[in-house]
Amino acid sequence: MSSRGFSSLRFLQHENPLGLPRSGAPPELPRRMRGLPEKRNIRNVRKVIAVSSAKGGVGKSTIAVNLALAFGRQGHRAGILDTDIFGPSIPTLLNLSGEPRLSDNNQLIPLTNYGVKAMSMGFLVDEQAPVVWRGLMVMKALQQLLHEVDWGGLDVLVLDLPPGTGDTQLTITQQIKLDGKYLHMYALPRTS
């Protein structure tokens, strides 16, 4: 499989916030649906586990990375997807940098370290550049990260969700078939 360079410095649009070239785009969800959307699998991924927390700064991303690394050490083909559009931390935790390449079918090819494939907004935007996006662009970028990455066949994909209970968490739990969920709780010690 050959791969081409990818540049995130393209003109951004609501329909394609990551600026991926178009060919054989994934099926679009109908605009007017009644009820919740039908849950979908992530292509070429057998099991999906989501790691979430209602609060930031409690070690959720560290737990997600350690889960992916543990699966990898047990001989599973493992990956991690950083779904935090505004504060990606997976590149730092996995000591990864650079832009992903594009496959022949214009899908992002994840970067790899420690035997774990990883994809994050942190690979697609400059570390110092702010991401000032609102609802529609964030949700489209999330859809592209979920469905336009060539994972190359994984046994397990760990989703590192952003802190809170907002649109990203709702979109993932309503649209993706999850095989496991881990909610990281943290209680402050009592002081008297």
Side-chain angles (χ1 to χ4, degrees), residues 1-4 23 102-107 109 150:
M1 166 172 56
S2 68
S3 58
R4 301 185 312 265
S23 70
L102 288 175
S103 68
D104 290 336
N105 58 349
N106 292 326
Q107 291 197 320
I109 298 173
D150 185 357

Side-chain angles (χ1 to χ4, degrees), residues 90-185:
I90 298 304
T92 302
L93 292 171
L94 285 177
N95 194 27
L96 285 167
S97 62
E99 287 190 345
R101 300 187 61 74
L102 288 175
S103 68
D104 290 336
N105 58 349
N106 292 326
Q107 291 197 320
L108 295 167
I109 298 173
L111 301 181
T112 303
N113 201 9
Y114 308 117
V116 173
K117 293 182 179 183
M119 182 52 61
S120 171
M121 275 298 291
F123 303 143
L124 304 173
V125 295
D126 186 332
E127 188 176 321
Q128 303 302 320
V131 177
V132 186
W133 291 354
R134 294 186 68 199
L136 182 58
M137 285 193 61
V138 172
M139 289 301 101
K140 274 308 249 184
L142 180 61
Q143 291 297 324
Q144 288 182 300
L145 288 173
L146 288 168
H147 299 292
E148 295 184 35
V149 174
D150 185 357
W151 292 105
L154 291 180
D155 296 318
V156 64
L157 176 65
V158 177
L159 302 180
D160 179 27
L161 276 62
T165 56
D167 287 342
T168 300
Q169 293 84 345
L170 291 173
T171 297
I172 288 172
T173 57
Q174 291 174 353
Q175 294 184 10
I176 301 297
K177 291 182 181 176
L178 296 174
D179 298 289
K181 301 163 197 100
Y182 176 81
L183 179 61
H184 184 63
M185 306 289 280

Side-chain angles (χ1 to χ4, degrees), residues 49 51 58-74 76 78-80 90 93-94 113-114 116 156 158-160 182 184:
I49 299 172
V51 178
V58 296
K60 170 189 52 59
S61 295
T62 302
I63 288 172
V65 166
N66 282 320
L67 274 173
L69 291 170
F71 284 123
R73 286 191 181 199
Q74 290 179 350
H76 299 287
I80 187 164
I90 298 304
L93 292 171
L94 285 177
N113 201 9
Y114 308 117
V116 173
V156 64
V158 177
L159 302 180
D160 179 27
Y182 176 81
H184 184 63

Side-chain angles (χ1 to χ4, degrees), residues 18-101:
L18 299 184
L20 296 176
R22 289 283 159 215
S23 70
E28 293 287 324
L29 297 175
R31 290 202 180 266
R32 299 186 124 204
M33 295 189 325
R34 297 183 190 267
L36 295 175
E38 185 175 328
K39 291 190 177 196
R40 298 169 45 191
N41 290 317
I42 297 176
R43 189 181 0 200
N44 296 323
V45 175
R46 287 186 45 218
K47 301 284 183 185
V48 178
I49 299 172
V51 178
S52 182
S53 173
K55 182 178 179 344
V58 296
K60 170 189 52 59
S61 295
T62 302
I63 288 172
V65 166
N66 282 320
L67 274 173
L69 291 170
F71 284 123
R73 286 191 181 199
Q74 290 179 350
H76 299 287
R77 294 169 299 164
I80 187 164
L81 175 58
D82 189 349
T83 64
D84 192 342
I85 303 296
F86 300 110
S89 58
I90 298 304
T92 302
L93 292 171
L94 285 177
N95 194 27
L96 285 167
S97 62
E99 287 190 345
R101 300 187 61 74

